[in-house]
Amino acid sequence: MLNKTMQHLGEERSAIRELFEYGNARKKEIGEDKVFDFSIGNPSVPAPACVREEIARLIADMPPAVLHGYTSAQGAYEARKAVSAYLESKSGVPMSADLVYMTCGASASLAIALNALFEEGDEFVVLAPFFPEYRVFAERAGGKLVVCPTDERFHLDLAALDGAINTHTKAVILNSPNNPTGAVYTAEEIEALSALLQRKSEEKGAPVFLLSDEPYRELCYGVEPPYPTKYYRDTILCYSFSKSLSLAGERIGFLALPKALTKAEDVFAAICGAGRALGYVCAPALFQRVCAACMGQSSDIEAYKTNRDILYSALTSYGYECVSPDGAFYLFVKALEEDAVTFCERAKRHELLLVPSNSFGVEGYVRISYCVDRAVIERSLPAFRALIAEYRG
Ligand code: PLP
């Protein structure tokens, strides 16, 4: 009667959303300030002023029928032009408005790209730990997800990648700054990866695409993530304004192809086709225009940096192990016992809501989303201390 895969996906829900719902219920039960909810990556810092100013300006100046009406399926031309001009000015890589597709956030960008690329027998390589929805999007497109490990600091392990990519590989999904580790890959790493992908493409006789999932690009602390398009022509950028402009609920982002991408026009046509088939046409019209006017701006990332510094130094001083993250707003901390799920259950008894790393394809860690109010971080520290004291006896 029903599509069982869909029923299963609906019933199973993501561990992150499950915990988020638990947190909301628990807050009602014992009080908002007693629960330390580090479950979800929902930005706590307000959108920058340009967002509200542009909304007000558009409402005042634009005829409502145009403002709230359909744009082209691939997005309003002015928005696509602003995106391509900005990317070209930042990366130096020639881009075109004709190769930009406005989407409902990075989720839609990824789902569209994977569906556009997929042919029977294709594999998609992801680097563990990875954003759990990659599996849902890749498998739904029909592909096989191949999970490749990273090194002990969660950076690229090129030997492992060399082994994971074969003639069935259609694309590698890269996410830097990374969710859940906060790792930001260096230019040297991206350069080495692109040499590997170039060699693999030659062996295959067709491009192995790089899907660069970049919703955290602007959220970096003292480092600058390189543009992979500078190093590898067959890169597809999957971007979202969810985190950079704190617009997660507005569902807005884009897909962009560099002009030099192999058969760029054909790939773009397949992207338009996948967008159509999945129902992702005409991304939210108001926010296409707002974001176009705010390209290059971001929310106050200093607030996240301070959260990271407080949490990282407190947790490591208590004895927790964790790699200091350079970007995004997550800490990836070693669980205090082998089974991260059991550890998270014990953390819950201290009202600490942490996501077990199993969701991200690795064992033995937890993710802490520190995009919360400073007060939550400060109030949570005694609970983290009590939790480790409980383990250490
Ligand atoms: N990719 C990564 C790595 C993410 O962390 C997220 C959201 O948290 C997404 C994609 C989806 O972003 P969006 O809200 O724009 O759909």
Side-chain angles (χ1 to χ4, degrees), residues 16-17 40-42 103-110 130-134 137 174-180 213-216 238-243 247-249 251-253 328-330 360 367:
I16 301 170
R17 292 221 157 251
I40 206 166
N42 214 356
T103 63
C104 301
S107 302
S109 302
L110 288 158
F130 60 93
F131 178 56
E133 299 306 281
Y134 291 162
F137 301 148
L174 196 73
N175 170 222
S176 171
N178 186 269
N179 173 10
D213 178 26
E214 313 192 337
Y216 303 95
C238 297
Y239 186 84
S240 162
F241 297 95
S242 292
K243 320 287 174 170
L247 293 177
R251 314 308 302 134
I252 186 78
F329 38 47
Y330 306 107
F360 305 100
R367 187 192 76 173

Side-chain angles (χ1 to χ4, degrees), residues 73-263:
Q74 60 270 45
Y77 186 76
E78 323 82 76
R80 299 162 68 210
K81 183 81 203 134
V83 167
S84 65
Y86 176 78
L87 292 175
E88 185 167 313
S89 74
K90 288 295 283 184
S91 66
V93 176
M95 307 293 289
S96 161
D98 294 331
L99 299 172
V100 172
Y101 191 101
M102 303 304 293
T103 63
C104 301
S107 302
S109 302
L110 288 158
I112 290 174
L114 292 163
N115 276 276
L117 295 179
F118 175 74
E119 291 175 289
E120 206 52 47
D122 276 351
E123 298 181 359
F124 298 112
V125 174
V126 292
L127 308 179
F130 60 93
F131 178 56
E133 299 306 281
Y134 291 162
R135 180 177 293 287
V136 179
F137 301 148
E139 290 181 352
R140 215 34 232 161
K144 176 178 165 201
L145 197 79
V146 175
V147 179
C148 175
T150 48
D151 70 13
E152 67 292 342
R153 292 183 61 79
F154 307 115
H155 277 254
L156 301 187
D157 179 341
L158 287 165
L161 264 165
D162 198 340
I165 302 171
N166 60 45
T167 52
H168 297 290
T169 309
K170 181 55 73 67
V172 174
I173 304 179
L174 196 73
N175 170 222
S176 171
N178 186 269
N179 173 10
T181 65
V184 180
Y185 308 134
T186 62
E188 291 69 36
E189 282 178 280
I190 303 293
E191 205 168 0
L193 172 66
S194 79
L196 173 67
L197 293 177
Q198 191 55 48
R199 173 162 64 76
K200 292 287 183 179
S201 300
E202 278 156 23
E203 281 167 20
K204 184 182 170 186
V208 175
F209 291 94
L210 183 62
L211 291 190
S212 186
D213 178 26
E214 313 192 337
Y216 303 95
R217 169 169 284 282
E218 281 74 25
L219 275 62
C220 278
Y221 316 114
V223 294
E224 180 121 356
Y227 273 94
T229 44
K230 267 173 86 167
Y231 301 90
Y232 190 60
R233 62 184 281 199
D234 287 318
T235 300
I236 298 177
L237 296 177
C238 297
Y239 186 84
S240 162
F241 297 95
S242 292
K243 320 287 174 170
S244 59
L245 293 180
S246 300
L247 293 177
E250 304 299 351
R251 314 308 302 134
I252 186 78
F254 61 77
L255 274 158
L257 316 180
K259 278 188 185 170
L261 187 111
T262 306
K263 296 199 174 143

Side-chain angles (χ1 to χ4, degrees), residues 353-375:
L353 307 190
L354 319 175
V355 182
S357 60
N358 312 48
S359 313
F360 305 100
V362 298
E363 307 273 316
Y365 288 82
V366 294
R367 187 192 76 173
I368 301 177
S369 282
Y370 59 78
C371 50
V372 296
D373 284 347
R374 181 83 27 85

